[in-house]
Amino acid sequence: MRAARFYGKGDIRVDEISPPDCGPNDLRVQIGYAGICGTDIHEYLAGPIFPPKPGETHPYSGAELPVILGHEVAGTIIEVGSEVKTRVAIIPAMDERHYGLEPCNMCQRGRRNICKRTAYRGLNAPGGGFANEAVVTEHDILLLLDDISLQLGALLEPLAVAWHMVRTAGMQQGDNCVILGAGPIGLALLLVLKFRGAGKIIVSEVTASRAEIAKQFGADQVINPLAATNTSEDIVVSAAHDLMDDGADIAFDASGIQATFDTAIACTRPGGTIFNVAIHEKPLSIHLNDLTTLEKKLTGGICYTREDLEGALELVKADKTKVEKMITAVTPLEETVKGGFVEFLENKGMHVKSLIEVKRE
Ligand SMILES: [Zn+2]
């Protein structure tokens, strides 16, 4: 290979040298570009400053003159050592990049989550995670830092969904929010809202155990909407108006039933946003005057983009212990049906996120 090496002041030569070995724990990178830094110029004019002096060897790296310069580098991995165990989270969404097609309009705009040709690994594409192995492309991975466990890595997906909703809802710092439903996505929304500096947060949840987690995650008020003594009163709406003056800036409906949808509209301030996160089994009814006369906005979101996943990773890095509380069961792959699905359904209130353990870390 060719390399520009520093021999001493005013002496840089482009030499033919043999390529370095790629050891079992190494990655070989084919360099694309490398910048010339002010430091490099300094070395050329007055060095060696950082490089070893003639006849000396760096005590730790073993480097001696001549050294290959260039420390602002980008390139492509072309060889992976046999022992490299790079831990990743898998992004399940597929789009034109996976099919060898030209990117659609939405993908060109960076909105891959609403690609018309989308498919999901683990739902309608090969490569699901309840299995020993999956083969994915380079587009599908997010590198996990060493201190992010694989269990936390598996939580990035729901957190990225929540991140996407909060981002596209236009949440500003200090915005007061209501979350209707403290299931996995509702609780993930709560974590993201707290992390991104929301104002007051009210969570509406009927299940005691989930309500308890919402409290631990920092909700200002957690309300059981069915606990009203006067059945004609929506106590979530009353609480929103008590705690937030004119109501919530944003109400996230993470339940998807008529009652929570009605509450979402009623608890939002004039000009506020009702954001639907739930997938609905049937159409709901709405009186559009409830939006029009107070200029409330009704919108929704689906999935996430890489940007949202990176945001979720920041959140996980910042508060691992809190995020880990979302994990309420870890079940071996062989027990997926009974210990995973059936248990979740039979004790719904006890579970937030149930993980299938394929290989213990
Ligand atoms: Zn597309």
Side-chain angles (χ1 to χ4, degrees):
M1 67 176 206
R2 307 286 289 168
R5 299 200 292 179
F6 173 83
Y7 283 76
K9 179 181 165 184
D11 187 1
I12 293 173
R13 305 174 210 167
V14 179
D15 296 327
E16 182 74 25
I17 58 172
S18 45
D21 291 333
C22 180
N25 295 300
D26 296 336
L27 299 170
R28 185 186 301 281
V29 176
Q30 183 171 67
I31 312 285
Y33 295 89
I36 298 176
C37 171
T39 307
D40 298 322
I41 304 284
H42 251 86
E43 296 292 351
Y44 184 61
L45 293 174
I49 302 163
F50 285 104
K53 307 281 180 286
E56 287 180 0
T57 302
H58 189 278
Y60 304 116
S61 75
E64 47 191 44
L65 293 177
V67 292
I68 304 173
L69 289 181
H71 60 267
E72 300 172 355
V73 195
T76 310
I77 294 172
I78 53 170
E79 189 179 342
V80 179
S82 57
E83 290 299 310
V84 171
K85 304 266 188 289
T86 306
R87 298 151 71 261
V88 299
I90 295 178
I91 306 170
M94 298 172 78
D95 52 59
E96 287 86 0
R97 294 171 302 179
H98 297 82
Y99 320 134
L101 300 173
E102 287 298 305
C104 71
N105 242 315
M106 286 303 118
C107 284
Q108 281 181 36
R109 295 176 195 200
R111 300 185 65 181
R112 295 187 189 279
N113 62 314
I114 46 174
C115 173
K116 281 183 297 187
R117 300 193 184 97
T118 199
Y120 287 86
R121 297 189 190 281
L123 283 174
N124 53 9
F130 300 155
N132 282 109
E133 295 177 8
V135 172
V136 299
T137 76
E138 59 187 333
H139 304 298
D140 309 329
I141 56 175
L142 182 80
L143 297 182
L144 297 176
L145 302 178
D146 283 343
D147 55 350
I148 304 287
S149 71
L150 293 182
Q151 290 198 352
L152 283 171
L155 293 181
L156 281 170
E157 218 270 344
L159 288 169
V161 172
W163 191 278
H164 181 76
M165 306 306 175
V166 170
R167 177 169 71 86
T168 51
M171 201 280 292
Q172 304 290 314
Q173 225 170 357
D175 275 358
N176 297 320
C177 298
V178 170
I179 301 169
L180 299 149
I185 293 297
L187 288 169
L189 280 168
L190 176 56
L191 286 175
V192 173
L193 286 171
K194 294 291 288 182
F195 184 71
R196 297 188 59 160
K200 301 239 168 50
I201 302 173
I202 293 174
V203 173
S204 164
E205 171 59 45
V206 293
T207 313
S209 52
R210 288 179 168 177
E212 183 51 39
I213 299 178
K215 279 179 206 155
Q216 288 174 25
F217 281 5
D220 293 280
Q221 272 190 40
V222 182
I223 298 171
N224 179 351
L226 304 180
T229 43
N230 173 358
T231 48
S232 67
E233 186 195 5
D234 187 328
I235 52 177
V236 177
V237 175
S238 312
H241 284 93
D242 287 347
L243 196 68
M244 304 169 173
D245 300 327
D246 289 332
D249 295 292
I250 308 171
F252 293 93
D253 185 2
S255 295
I257 56 175
Q258 186 72 48
T260 55
F261 181 58
D262 292 342
T263 301
I265 295 173
C267 75
T268 308
R269 68 160 167 79
T273 298
I274 298 102
F275 198 97
N276 177 62
V277 175
I279 299 294
H280 293 247
E281 284 169 11
K282 56 182 185 198
L284 301 182
S285 73
I286 176 174
H287 198 322
L288 281 172
N289 287 356
D290 293 340
L291 301 179
T292 305
T293 55
L294 292 171
E295 296 197 347
K296 297 186 183 185
K297 295 176 284 289
L298 170 62
T299 181
I302 186 83
C303 300
Y304 54 90
T305 63
R306 179 172 281 270
E307 174 185 354
D308 301 308
L309 206 63
E310 283 164 359
L313 187 58
E314 289 306 309
L315 188 162
V316 172
K317 276 198 271 184
D319 202 343
K320 298 191 195 81
T321 331
K322 207 189 229 182
V323 175
E324 262 167 2
K325 289 205 173 94
M326 288 182 75
I327 304 170
T328 48
V330 180
T331 307
L333 179 62
E334 297 306 323
E335 302 293 318
T336 297
V337 179
K338 194 165 172 294
F341 285 74
V342 174
E343 162 63 25
F344 189 92
L345 284 168
E346 286 177 353
N347 294 301
K348 216 170 176 180
M350 301 306 293
H351 290 294
V352 178
K353 184 52 67 181
S354 190
L355 297 181
I356 297 300
E357 182 171 86
V358 180
K359 184 173 187 295
R360 187 190 296 270
E361 186 180 32

PDB file of all heavy atoms in Angstrom, residues 51-80:
ATOM      1  N   PRO A  51       5.076  13.095  17.222  1.00  0.00           N
ATOM      2  CA  PRO A  51       5.719  11.813  16.871  1.00  0.00           C
ATOM      3  C   PRO A  51       6.972  11.566  17.716  1.00  0.00           C
ATOM      4  O   PRO A  51       7.520  12.498  18.284  1.00  0.00           O
ATOM      5  CB  PRO A  51       6.089  11.995  15.394  1.00  0.00           C
ATOM      6  CG  PRO A  51       5.185  13.066  14.896  1.00  0.00           C
ATOM      7  CD  PRO A  51       4.997  13.990  16.064  1.00  0.00           C
ATOM      8  N   PRO A  52       7.404  10.295  17.795  1.00  0.00           N
ATOM      9  CA  PRO A  52       8.628  10.004  18.560  1.00  0.00           C
ATOM     10  C   PRO A  52       9.828  10.740  17.942  1.00  0.00           C
ATOM     11  O   PRO A  52       9.857  10.998  16.744  1.00  0.00           O
ATOM     12  CB  PRO A  52       8.794   8.488  18.400  1.00  0.00           C
ATOM     13  CG  PRO A  52       7.524   7.980  17.814  1.00  0.00           C
ATOM     14  CD  PRO A  52       6.839   9.113  17.145  1.00  0.00           C
ATOM     15  N   LYS A  53      10.797  11.079  18.794  1.00  0.00           N
ATOM     16  CA  LYS A  53      12.050  11.675  18.308  1.00  0.00           C
ATOM     17  C   LYS A  53      12.859  10.568  17.606  1.00  0.00           C
ATOM     18  O   LYS A  53      12.633   9.380  17.849  1.00  0.00           O
ATOM     19  CB  LYS A  53      12.866  12.225  19.483  1.00  0.00           C
ATOM     20  CG  LYS A  53      12.095  13.179  20.403  1.00  0.00           C
ATOM     21  CD  LYS A  53      11.990  14.583  19.811  1.00  0.00           C
ATOM     22  CE  LYS A  53      11.225  15.524  20.726  1.00  0.00           C
ATOM     23  NZ  LYS A  53       9.750  15.295  20.741  1.00  0.00           N
ATOM     24  N   PRO A  54      13.811  10.982  16.755  1.00  0.00           N
ATOM     25  CA  PRO A  54      14.626   9.966  16.076  1.00  0.00           C
ATOM     26  C   PRO A  54      15.274   9.019  17.097  1.00  0.00           C
ATOM     27  O   PRO A  54      15.790   9.463  18.112  1.00  0.00           O
ATOM     28  CB  PRO A  54      15.695  10.792  15.345  1.00  0.00           C
ATOM     29  CG  PRO A  54      15.078  12.145  15.180  1.00  0.00           C
ATOM     30  CD  PRO A  54      14.175  12.353  16.357  1.00  0.00           C
ATOM     31  N   GLY A  55      15.157   7.723  16.837  1.00  0.00           N
ATOM     32  CA  GLY A  55      15.768   6.721  17.723  1.00  0.00           C
ATOM     33  C   GLY A  55      14.906   6.353  18.912  1.00  0.00           C
ATOM     34  O   GLY A  55      15.213   5.422  19.646  1.00  0.00           O
ATOM     35  N   GLU A  56      13.781   7.101  19.128  1.00  0.00           N
ATOM     36  CA  GLU A  56      12.913   6.772  20.264  1.00  0.00           C
ATOM     37  C   GLU A  56      11.723   5.930  19.814  1.00  0.00           C
ATOM     38  O   GLU A  56      11.349   5.939  18.642  1.00  0.00           O
ATOM     39  CB  GLU A  56      12.382   8.061  20.922  1.00  0.00           C
ATOM     40  CG  GLU A  56      13.448   8.806  21.707  1.00  0.00           C
ATOM     41  CD  GLU A  56      12.908  10.080  22.355  1.00  0.00           C
ATOM     42  OE1 GLU A  56      11.704  10.371  22.193  1.00  0.00           O
ATOM     43  OE2 GLU A  56      13.714  10.774  23.003  1.00  0.00           O
ATOM     44  N   THR A  57      11.139   5.232  20.778  1.00  0.00           N
ATOM     45  CA  THR A  57       9.954   4.415  20.527  1.00  0.00           C
ATOM     46  C   THR A  57       8.881   4.834  21.508  1.00  0.00           C
ATOM     47  O   THR A  57       9.182   5.019  22.697  1.00  0.00           O
ATOM     48  CB  THR A  57      10.293   2.919  20.745  1.00  0.00           C
ATOM     49  OG1 THR A  57      11.376   2.569  19.871  1.00  0.00           O
ATOM     50  CG2 THR A  57       9.089   2.046  20.442  1.00  0.00           C
ATOM     51  N   HIS A  58       7.652   5.015  21.021  1.00  0.00           N
ATOM     52  CA  HIS A  58       6.571   5.369  21.956  1.00  0.00           C
ATOM     53  C   HIS A  58       6.367   4.233  22.956  1.00  0.00           C
ATOM     54  O   HIS A  58       6.280   3.066  22.552  1.00  0.00           O
ATOM     55  CB  HIS A  58       5.274   5.655  21.192  1.00  0.00           C
ATOM     56  CG  HIS A  58       4.193   6.219  22.063  1.00  0.00           C
ATOM     57  ND1 HIS A  58       3.399   5.422  22.851  1.00  0.00           N
ATOM     58  CD2 HIS A  58       3.811   7.502  22.307  1.00  0.00           C
ATOM     59  CE1 HIS A  58       2.558   6.196  23.531  1.00  0.00           C
ATOM     60  NE2 HIS A  58       2.789   7.476  23.210  1.00  0.00           N
ATOM     61  N   PRO A  59       6.316   4.569  24.257  1.00  0.00           N
ATOM     62  CA  PRO A  59       6.302   3.502  25.277  1.00  0.00           C
ATOM     63  C   PRO A  59       5.088   2.575  25.191  1.00  0.00           C
ATOM     64  O   PRO A  59       5.160   1.425  25.616  1.00  0.00           O
ATOM     65  CB  PRO A  59       6.287   4.280  26.598  1.00  0.00           C
ATOM     66  CG  PRO A  59       5.828   5.653  26.260  1.00  0.00           C
ATOM     67  CD  PRO A  59       6.283   5.908  24.858  1.00  0.00           C
ATOM     68  N   TYR A  60       3.982   3.062  24.698  1.00  0.00           N
ATOM     69  CA  TYR A  60       2.775   2.213  24.692  1.00  0.00           C
ATOM     70  C   TYR A  60       2.437   1.701  23.302  1.00  0.00           C
ATOM     71  O   TYR A  60       2.156   0.531  23.104  1.00  0.00           O
ATOM     72  CB  TYR A  60       1.585   2.993  25.272  1.00  0.00           C
ATOM     73  CG  TYR A  60       1.883   3.516  26.646  1.00  0.00           C
ATOM     74  CD1 TYR A  60       1.924   4.887  26.897  1.00  0.00           C
ATOM     75  CD2 TYR A  60       2.178   2.638  27.688  1.00  0.00           C
ATOM     76  CE1 TYR A  60       2.225   5.363  28.169  1.00  0.00           C
ATOM     77  CE2 TYR A  60       2.490   3.106  28.956  1.00  0.00           C
ATOM     78  CZ  TYR A  60       2.513   4.477  29.192  1.00  0.00           C
ATOM     79  OH  TYR A  60       2.828   4.939  30.427  1.00  0.00           O
ATOM     80  N   SER A  61       2.457   2.614  22.317  1.00  0.00           N
ATOM     81  CA  SER A  61       2.018   2.199  20.977  1.00  0.00           C
ATOM     82  C   SER A  61       3.134   1.507  20.211  1.00  0.00           C
ATOM     83  O   SER A  61       2.877   0.804  19.235  1.00  0.00           O
ATOM     84  CB  SER A  61       1.531   3.415  20.188  1.00  0.00           C
ATOM     85  OG  SER A  61       2.640   4.200  19.764  1.00  0.00           O
ATOM     86  N   GLY A  62       4.379   1.722  20.622  1.00  0.00           N
ATOM     87  CA  GLY A  62       5.510   1.117  19.922  1.00  0.00           C
ATOM     88  C   GLY A  62       5.885   1.853  18.643  1.00  0.00           C
ATOM     89  O   GLY A  62       6.749   1.399  17.892  1.00  0.00           O
ATOM     90  N   ALA A  63       5.248   3.014  18.391  1.00  0.00           N
ATOM     91  CA  ALA A  63       5.535   3.733  17.145  1.00  0.00           C
ATOM     92  C   ALA A  63       6.933   4.345  17.167  1.00  0.00           C
ATOM     93  O   ALA A  63       7.417   4.771  18.206  1.00  0.00           O
ATOM     94  CB  ALA A  63       4.492   4.834  16.941  1.00  0.00           C
ATOM     95  N   GLU A  64       7.552   4.334  16.003  1.00  0.00           N
ATOM     96  CA  GLU A  64       8.806   5.071  15.839  1.00  0.00           C
ATOM     97  C   GLU A  64       8.823   5.656  14.440  1.00  0.00           C
ATOM     98  O   GLU A  64       7.984   5.293  13.597  1.00  0.00           O
ATOM     99  CB  GLU A  64      10.012   4.170  16.104  1.00  0.00           C
ATOM    100  CG  GLU A  64       9.960   2.819  15.426  1.00  0.00           C
ATOM    101  CD  GLU A  64      11.054   1.859  15.924  1.00  0.00           C
ATOM    102  OE1 GLU A  64      11.295   1.768  17.140  1.00  0.00           O
ATOM    103  OE2 GLU A  64      11.669   1.214  15.037  1.00  0.00           O
ATOM    104  N   LEU A  65       9.727   6.561  14.194  1.00  0.00           N
ATOM    105  CA  LEU A  65       9.803   7.197  12.872  1.00  0.00           C
ATOM    106  C   LEU A  65      10.239   6.171  11.831  1.00  0.00           C
ATOM    107  O   LEU A  65      11.015   5.289  12.166  1.00  0.00           O
ATOM    108  CB  LEU A  65      10.812   8.366  12.900  1.00  0.00           C
ATOM    109  CG  LEU A  65      10.390   9.561  13.776  1.00  0.00           C
ATOM    110  CD1 LEU A  65      11.507  10.620  13.767  1.00  0.00           C
ATOM    111  CD2 LEU A  65       9.091  10.176  13.315  1.00  0.00           C
ATOM    112  N   PRO A  66       9.735   6.262  10.602  1.00  0.00           N
ATOM    113  CA  PRO A  66       8.719   7.235  10.172  1.00  0.00           C
ATOM    114  C   PRO A  66       7.307   6.786  10.543  1.00  0.00           C
ATOM    115  O   PRO A  66       7.043   5.591  10.577  1.00  0.00           O
ATOM    116  CB  PRO A  66       8.905   7.231   8.650  1.00  0.00           C
ATOM    117  CG  PRO A  66       9.390   5.841   8.334  1.00  0.00           C
ATOM    118  CD  PRO A  66      10.213   5.402   9.498  1.00  0.00           C
ATOM    119  N   VAL A  67       6.402   7.760  10.842  1.00  0.00           N
ATOM    120  CA  VAL A  67       5.005   7.421  11.143  1.00  0.00           C
ATOM    121  C   VAL A  67       4.104   7.876   9.983  1.00  0.00           C
ATOM    122  O   VAL A  67       4.405   8.867   9.317  1.00  0.00           O
ATOM    123  CB  VAL A  67       4.506   8.077  12.454  1.00  0.00           C
ATOM    124  CG1 VAL A  67       5.198   7.481  13.665  1.00  0.00           C
ATOM    125  CG2 VAL A  67       4.670   9.594  12.408  1.00  0.00           C
ATOM    126  N   ILE A  68       3.030   7.123   9.769  1.00  0.00           N
ATOM    127  CA  ILE A  68       2.037   7.527   8.768  1.00  0.00           C
ATOM    128  C   ILE A  68       1.193   8.639   9.377  1.00  0.00           C
ATOM    129  O   ILE A  68       0.607   8.459  10.447  1.00  0.00           O
ATOM    130  CB  ILE A  68       1.119   6.352   8.359  1.00  0.00           C
ATOM    131  CG1 ILE A  68       1.951   5.170   7.853  1.00  0.00           C
ATOM    132  CG2 ILE A  68       0.088   6.791   7.326  1.00  0.00           C
ATOM    133  CD1 ILE A  68       1.139   3.905   7.590  1.00  0.00           C
ATOM    134  N   LEU A  69       1.149   9.791   8.727  1.00  0.00           N
ATOM    135  CA  LEU A  69       0.349  10.914   9.231  1.00  0.00           C
ATOM    136  C   LEU A  69      -1.118  10.765   8.818  1.00  0.00           C
ATOM    137  O   LEU A  69      -1.454   9.965   7.946  1.00  0.00           O
ATOM    138  CB  LEU A  69       0.897  12.238   8.694  1.00  0.00           C
ATOM    139  CG  LEU A  69       2.243  12.705   9.261  1.00  0.00           C
ATOM    140  CD1 LEU A  69       2.619  14.050   8.638  1.00  0.00           C
ATOM    141  CD2 LEU A  69       2.227  12.806  10.784  1.00  0.00           C
ATOM    142  N   GLY A  70      -1.972  11.621   9.430  1.00  0.00           N
ATOM    143  CA  GLY A  70      -3.408  11.647   9.075  1.00  0.00           C
ATOM    144  C   GLY A  70      -4.255  11.164  10.228  1.00  0.00           C
ATOM    145  O   GLY A  70      -4.278   9.972  10.544  1.00  0.00           O
ATOM    146  N   HIS A  71      -4.963  12.092  10.905  1.00  0.00           N
ATOM    147  CA  HIS A  71      -5.803  11.676  12.037  1.00  0.00           C
ATOM    148  C   HIS A  71      -7.239  12.192  11.917  1.00  0.00           C
ATOM    149  O   HIS A  71      -7.995  12.159  12.869  1.00  0.00           O
ATOM    150  CB  HIS A  71      -5.167  12.117  13.363  1.00  0.00           C
ATOM    151  CG  HIS A  71      -4.989  13.599  13.494  1.00  0.00           C
ATOM    152  ND1 HIS A  71      -3.819  14.232  13.128  1.00  0.00           N
ATOM    153  CD2 HIS A  71      -5.831  14.564  13.906  1.00  0.00           C
ATOM    154  CE1 HIS A  71      -3.955  15.535  13.335  1.00  0.00           C
ATOM    155  NE2 HIS A  71      -5.173  15.762  13.806  1.00  0.00           N
ATOM    156  N   GLU A  72      -7.629  12.669  10.731  1.00  0.00           N
ATOM    157  CA  GLU A  72      -9.031  13.070  10.504  1.00  0.00           C
ATOM    158  C   GLU A  72      -9.522  12.210   9.343  1.00  0.00           C
ATOM    159  O   GLU A  72      -9.393  12.575   8.184  1.00  0.00           O
ATOM    160  CB  GLU A  72      -9.095  14.559  10.135  1.00  0.00           C
ATOM    161  CG  GLU A  72      -8.521  15.456  11.227  1.00  0.00           C
ATOM    162  CD  GLU A  72      -8.395  16.908  10.805  1.00  0.00           C
ATOM    163  OE1 GLU A  72      -8.674  17.214   9.613  1.00  0.00           O
ATOM    164  OE2 GLU A  72      -8.027  17.730  11.651  1.00  0.00           O
ATOM    165  N   VAL A  73     -10.064  11.048   9.675  1.00  0.00           N
ATOM    166  CA  VAL A  73     -10.135   9.966   8.702  1.00  0.00           C
ATOM    167  C   VAL A  73     -11.543   9.402   8.537  1.00  0.00           C
ATOM    168  O   VAL A  73     -12.272   9.255   9.517  1.00  0.00           O
ATOM    169  CB  VAL A  73      -9.223   8.793   9.151  1.00  0.00           C
ATOM    170  CG1 VAL A  73      -8.985   7.826   8.002  1.00  0.00           C
ATOM    171  CG2 VAL A  73      -7.899   9.301   9.696  1.00  0.00           C
ATOM    172  N   ALA A  74     -11.913   9.087   7.308  1.00  0.00           N
ATOM    173  CA  ALA A  74     -13.143   8.338   7.047  1.00  0.00           C
ATOM    174  C   ALA A  74     -12.847   7.250   6.035  1.00  0.00           C
ATOM    175  O   ALA A  74     -12.022   7.434   5.133  1.00  0.00           O
ATOM    176  CB  ALA A  74     -14.236   9.263   6.514  1.00  0.00           C
ATOM    177  N   GLY A  75     -13.477   6.095   6.196  1.00  0.00           N
ATOM    178  CA  GLY A  75     -13.204   4.992   5.278  1.00  0.00           C
ATOM    179  C   GLY A  75     -14.260   3.915   5.364  1.00  0.00           C
ATOM    180  O   GLY A  75     -15.316   4.108   5.970  1.00  0.00           O
ATOM    181  N   THR A  76     -13.962   2.780   4.762  1.00  0.00           N
ATOM    182  CA  THR A  76     -14.918   1.678   4.651  1.00  0.00           C
ATOM    183  C   THR A  76     -14.305   0.419   5.242  1.00  0.00           C
ATOM    184  O   THR A  76     -13.145   0.105   4.959  1.00  0.00           O
ATOM    185  CB  THR A  76     -15.209   1.418   3.150  1.00  0.00           C
ATOM    186  OG1 THR A  76     -15.534   2.660   2.538  1.00  0.00           O
ATOM    187  CG2 THR A  76     -16.349   0.442   2.968  1.00  0.00           C
ATOM    188  N   ILE A  77     -15.072  -0.302   6.038  1.00  0.00           N
ATOM    189  CA  ILE A  77     -14.572  -1.565   6.604  1.00  0.00           C
ATOM    190  C   ILE A  77     -14.480  -2.595   5.483  1.00  0.00           C
ATOM    191  O   ILE A  77     -15.456  -2.841   4.771  1.00  0.00           O
ATOM    192  CB  ILE A  77     -15.505  -2.078   7.715  1.00  0.00           C
ATOM    193  CG1 ILE A  77     -15.478  -1.112   8.894  1.00  0.00           C
ATOM    194  CG2 ILE A  77     -15.112  -3.492   8.164  1.00  0.00           C
ATOM    195  CD1 ILE A  77     -16.498  -1.413   9.967  1.00  0.00           C
ATOM    196  N   ILE A  78     -13.300  -3.184   5.286  1.00  0.00           N
ATOM    197  CA  ILE A  78     -13.162  -4.183   4.228  1.00  0.00           C
ATOM    198  C   ILE A  78     -12.735  -5.548   4.754  1.00  0.00           C
ATOM    199  O   ILE A  78     -12.720  -6.518   4.029  1.00  0.00           O
ATOM    200  CB  ILE A  78     -12.164  -3.715   3.129  1.00  0.00           C
ATOM    201  CG1 ILE A  78     -10.829  -3.319   3.744  1.00  0.00           C
ATOM    202  CG2 ILE A  78     -12.764  -2.601   2.291  1.00  0.00           C
ATOM    203  CD1 ILE A  78      -9.740  -3.086   2.709  1.00  0.00           C
ATOM    204  N   GLU A  79     -12.405  -5.612   6.042  1.00  0.00           N
ATOM    205  CA  GLU A  79     -12.061  -6.919   6.610  1.00  0.00           C
ATOM    206  C   GLU A  79     -12.415  -6.906   8.094  1.00  0.00           C
ATOM    207  O   GLU A  79     -12.183  -5.924   8.784  1.00  0.00           O
ATOM    208  CB  GLU A  79     -10.550  -7.194   6.433  1.00  0.00           C
ATOM    209  CG  GLU A  79     -10.159  -8.614   6.789  1.00  0.00           C
ATOM    210  CD  GLU A  79      -8.651  -8.862   6.573  1.00  0.00           C
ATOM    211  OE1 GLU A  79      -7.993  -8.077   5.847  1.00  0.00           O
ATOM    212  OE2 GLU A  79      -8.146  -9.838   7.156  1.00  0.00           O
ATOM    213  N   VAL A  80     -13.007  -8.005   8.549  1.00  0.00           N
ATOM    214  CA  VAL A  80     -13.413  -8.111   9.951  1.00  0.00           C
ATOM    215  C   VAL A  80     -12.678  -9.285  10.579  1.00  0.00           C
ATOM    216  O   VAL A  80     -12.733 -10.405  10.069  1.00  0.00           O
ATOM    217  CB  VAL A  80     -14.945  -8.337  10.058  1.00  0.00           C
ATOM    218  CG1 VAL A  80     -15.369  -8.477  11.514  1.00  0.00           C
ATOM    219  CG2 VAL A  80     -15.694  -7.184   9.401  1.00  0.00           C
TER     220      VAL A  80
END
